[in-house]
């Protein structure tokens, strides 16, 4: 499952969900994802964020179990 933190659904990325707390921010600045290669999120996914004090509790996951997570950051 892929989540667009702070943003709407976009391609394979679900709208921001399963969170508690935090604030969101969106920019219209152009984001260059050309160095990320195949499988990279759409550039617009990098134009939204959730920041501050927040948690995500994703449904249908077992607490304490191993999970693979890929995080993308843009500054």
């Amino acid at each position: 499952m892929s989540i667009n933190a702070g943003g709407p659904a976009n391609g394979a990325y679900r709208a921001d969900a399963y969170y508690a707390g935090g604030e969101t921010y969106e920019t219209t600045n152009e984001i260059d994802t050309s160095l990320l290669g195949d499988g990279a999120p759409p550039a617009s996914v990098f134009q939204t964020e959730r920041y501050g004090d927040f948690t995500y509790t994703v449904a249908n996951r077992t607490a304490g179990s191993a999970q693979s997570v890929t995080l993308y950051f843009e500054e």
Side-chain angles (χ1 to χ4, degrees):
M1 170 189 331
S2 300
I3 299 173
N4 182 8
N10 187 328
Y13 288 76
R14 294 182 182 194
D16 196 16
Y18 310 113
Y19 62 87
E23 302 290 330
T24 61
Y25 176 76
E26 182 175 353
T27 184
T28 57
N29 292 345
E30 184 175 336
I31 307 298
D32 179 6
T33 60
S34 63
L35 297 177
L36 294 179
D38 293 338
S44 59
V45 169
F46 291 100
Q47 292 175 312
T48 60
E49 67 175 307
R50 176 162 298 284
Y51 67 93
D53 188 12
F54 65 91
T55 59
Y56 279 90
T57 305
V58 179
N60 300 316
R61 301 291 189 258
T62 302
S65 67
Q67 303 290 316
S68 294
V69 177
T70 301
L71 301 174
Y72 290 95
F73 297 92
E74 192 283 324
E75 284 292 328

